[in-house]
Amino acid sequence: MSLDNILPLTDALVGRFATPPRARGAVTLGVQARAGATHIAHLRQAGCLKCILPTVFRDDAEAVLVNTAGGVTGGDVIEVDAMLGRDTHLSISTQAAERIYRTSDGTTGNVRNRITVGEGARLAWLPQETILFDRARLNRELQIDLAPAAQLLLCETLVFGRAAMGEQVHDLHLEDRICVTREGAPLYRDGIRLVGDAHAQLSRPALGAGAGAVATVVCVTPQAEALLTPLRAMLPESAGASLLRADLLVLRALAVDSLALRRFMIPVLEFLSGQSLPGVWRL
């Protein structure tokens, strides 16, 4: 083979392997009530996203999401679709904290979660922390639609670099949206858009006052009003809870790092759920 033929082949191979790999993962999960307990109706998993179903010896069920890619970076797409049937009770968590790594080519990682909660069903959406690294780009959306008598406990936590490693996030593009509806009508909407030097912005007194971690909790239950006063007694000065309507309680909490946040958030979530958190939270 002549040199003229080898050079184009070499250029093609270099171009092929210089392109960063893209992770694709999807889980579709459905649960139904049978004999007073929650059982898996269907499960489909594809790509890097897997779903583990621990045996819990209770009437409810747990699902643990595992991203075998080890994190999310630019161009990745992660999707979860779940459906809770009538009178079911399901907790969805993650095996570990999700890591959003820096992008090498300016592209954005995309995470989309869509859940339908049937009549009389209860959903606990309790993923562990999302850790954002410097130069990360993430577009994430969580959509939950509730039936008239469905209940919800939702917690999302963002961590801006690992404090124990001395990390700071100075270049970030984050768009994070939460939409909770009841029969399609808006019940709760929240959005965070943080672009640029996250460390500098979160250091501002009126924004984060130096916080390195933030948690959002949404609790939809007929007992929301009764829960408000004892919940507030559990919170430090860097957290606050409000009753937005008779059945809707919202909490926002700030902390210097994820460890400090966990120390008071675990008791809070157990109080709101009325039971222990999924076992993966304590590993």
Side-chain angles (χ1 to χ4, degrees), residues 82 113-119 121 123 141-154 177-190 218-221 245 247-248:
N113 302 304
R114 296 174 290 266
I115 308 173
T116 302
V117 187
E119 186 68 14
L123 168 68
E141 186 172 1
L142 171 61
Q143 296 181 348
I144 300 175
D145 186 57
L146 305 174
Q151 298 184 47
L152 168 68
L153 175 61
L154 173 162
R177 297 174 299 282
I178 298 173
C179 178
V180 180
T181 58
R182 194 180 293 279
E183 291 189 297
L187 186 64
Y188 175 81
R189 291 181 182 271
D190 189 20
V218 179
C219 184
V220 182
T221 175
R245 47 183 287 172
D247 62 346
L248 175 59

Side-chain angles (χ1 to χ4, degrees), residues 173-206:
H173 187 107
L174 170 67
E175 295 191 31
D176 194 16
R177 297 174 299 282
I178 298 173
C179 178
V180 180
T181 58
R182 194 180 293 279
E183 291 189 297
L187 186 64
Y188 175 81
R189 291 181 182 271
D190 189 20
I192 294 176
R193 187 175 190 272
L194 191 52
V195 178
D197 191 332
H199 178 73
Q201 294 184 56
L202 290 170
S203 296
R204 293 165 54 188

Side-chain angles (χ1 to χ4, degrees), residues 77-128:
V77 178
I78 304 295
E79 297 181 293
V80 173
D81 283 277
M83 179 174 292
L84 280 67
R86 175 183 289 269
D87 297 326
T88 55
H89 181 190
L90 177 68
S91 297
I92 302 178
S93 57
T94 55
Q95 183 188 36
E98 184 66 282
R99 290 162 172 79
I100 312 301
Y101 293 113
R102 69 177 187 176
T103 179
S104 60
D105 57 2
T107 55
T108 300
N110 294 277
V111 177
R112 292 188 287 270
N113 302 304
R114 296 174 290 266
I115 308 173
T116 302
V117 187
E119 186 68 14
R122 289 184 294 161
L123 168 68
W125 175 261
L126 301 172
Q128 298 192 65

